[in-house]
Amino acid sequence: MTGLSSALQFLPAMVGKLGLTPAKGVCSRHGEFESAVLPGRVPVCMQCVAEQERVALVASRRQGLLLGCGVPGRYREAKFRDLEPVCEEQRQVIDAFKGWVARAGRDRDVGNVVLLGGTGTGKTHMACAAALNLIGRCGLGVCYTTTARIKEEVCSAWGMAGRDESSELRRFASYPLLIIDEVDVFDQGPALRMLNSVIDRRSADGLPTIYISNQDRDRLIELVGIRAVSRMLESALILQCGWGDYRLRSLKGA
């Protein structure tokens, strides 16, 4: 129940005390209605007011999701159409990813996306464009992170009241959509164990994850391990970004 709807249930008892009088009106959307107004005031369709309140609440929630999704600042306006056309292979990859995004908006059981390819091929841009689309269009909860950041945030919880490693790993494992960039980039220590924990939990719960790596599949297995990569690739849309580096191309053209 919205704040306005909750207040309306007490309106009849308040009408007399506030000097309100019943008034009739006609709404272009909802037809005839009756509301209580101060003398001389124009009656307002309360159904329209309630709908406007719901729209504002949805917009506010989605704005909160956008602010908290972790997408880097340079990608906060990312769209698929912003990517410079390079080759037919790139067009096919973008079309396939856009198709996945459309399905993810309707069905959470869409599987993972694994983006593989060299630096500067637009992998992070595409993933962030997907995230922003799903937040803005569907209100889907999304988190963008990296393997190194997972380790940093989990380790920062050690010894803190109300936070611990297990709860932080559960948090990463529970987002409706998680993007792990630089999935293979981490230092020695607990990072690989933490990454495996998140991958395992999300796989068990059937939650979609977008994994991004500059490595090919064989090298990724060497760095992350066959068990983790097997779960990443299970029922996944695997997108090979084999075209050249956007940044180097722009430098050559300068």
Side-chain angles (χ1 to χ4, degrees), residues 62-75:
R62 292 186 181 181
Q63 183 62 25
L65 291 172
L66 284 170
L67 292 174
C69 68
V71 167
R74 64 181 296 189
Y75 298 111

Side-chain angles (χ1 to χ4, degrees), residues 73-137:
R74 64 181 296 189
Y75 298 111
R76 280 302 177 97
E77 302 293 332
K79 297 179 178 62
F80 285 104
R81 66 172 178 264
D82 296 335
L83 291 167
E84 175 189 348
V86 174
C87 59
E88 178 62 18
E89 179 189 6
Q90 179 216 37
R91 186 192 66 76
Q92 292 176 1
V93 164
I94 292 175
D95 287 347
F97 202 174
K98 288 167 69 175
W100 181 91
V101 171
R103 293 192 300 276
R106 302 187 302 266
D107 180 11
R108 300 296 180 258
D109 188 23
V110 291
N112 300 328
V113 175
V114 180
L115 289 160
L116 303 174
T119 59
T121 51
K123 299 185 300 298
T124 299
H125 184 112
M126 286 190 285
C128 291
L132 297 177
N133 181 290
L134 288 167
I135 293 172
R137 185 168 53 89

Side-chain angles (χ1 to χ4, degrees), residues 144-162:
Y144 169 95
T145 189
T146 64
T147 298
R149 190 181 303 168
I150 290 174
K151 178 196 170 186
E152 289 173 8
E153 295 193 26
V154 172
C155 291
S156 71
W158 292 347
M160 294 187 64

Side-chain angles (χ1 to χ4, degrees), residues 55-249:
V55 169
L57 285 172
V58 169
S60 176
R61 178 179 181 275
R62 292 186 181 181
Q63 183 62 25
L65 291 172
L66 284 170
L67 292 174
C69 68
V71 167
R74 64 181 296 189
Y75 298 111
R76 280 302 177 97
E77 302 293 332
K79 297 179 178 62
F80 285 104
R81 66 172 178 264
D82 296 335
L83 291 167
E84 175 189 348
V86 174
C87 59
E88 178 62 18
E89 179 189 6
Q90 179 216 37
R91 186 192 66 76
Q92 292 176 1
V93 164
I94 292 175
D95 287 347
F97 202 174
K98 288 167 69 175
W100 181 91
V101 171
R103 293 192 300 276
R106 302 187 302 266
D107 180 11
R108 300 296 180 258
D109 188 23
V110 291
N112 300 328
V113 175
V114 180
L115 289 160
L116 303 174
T119 59
T121 51
K123 299 185 300 298
T124 299
H125 184 112
M126 286 190 285
C128 291
L132 297 177
N133 181 290
L134 288 167
I135 293 172
R137 185 168 53 89
C138 309
L140 188 69
V142 181
C143 174
Y144 169 95
T145 189
T146 64
T147 298
R149 190 181 303 168
I150 290 174
K151 178 196 170 186
E152 289 173 8
E153 295 193 26
V154 172
C155 291
S156 71
W158 292 347
M160 294 187 64
R163 294 178 63 197
D164 57 34
E165 178 175 321
S166 181
S167 63
E168 290 299 298
L169 290 173
R170 280 197 304 271
R171 176 170 64 84
F172 282 111
S174 65
Y175 286 104
L177 173 62
L178 182 67
I179 300 170
I180 306 182
D181 203 348
E182 299 179 341
V183 67
D184 55 284
V185 180
F186 49 86
D187 56 15
Q188 297 301 315
L192 183 57
R193 172 178 58 80
M194 295 172 180
L195 175 64
N196 271 278
S197 175
V198 172
I199 291 173
D200 287 351
R201 295 182 191 208
R202 294 188 65 81
S203 176
D205 291 337
L207 291 172
T209 309
I210 298 174
Y211 297 100
I212 307 172
S213 173
N214 292 337
Q215 311 299 330
D216 60 26
R217 189 183 315 194
D218 291 340
R219 180 59 176 155
L220 189 60
I221 290 173
E222 291 179 21
L223 294 169
V224 179
I226 183 63
R227 182 171 174 271
V229 174
S230 175
R231 293 189 185 279
M232 290 164 55
L233 300 180
E234 184 180 9
S235 302
L237 173 64
I238 304 170
L239 299 175
Q240 299 281 350
C241 304
W243 50 90
D245 188 317
Y246 285 111
R247 293 185 286 269
L248 290 180
R249 185 181 297 105

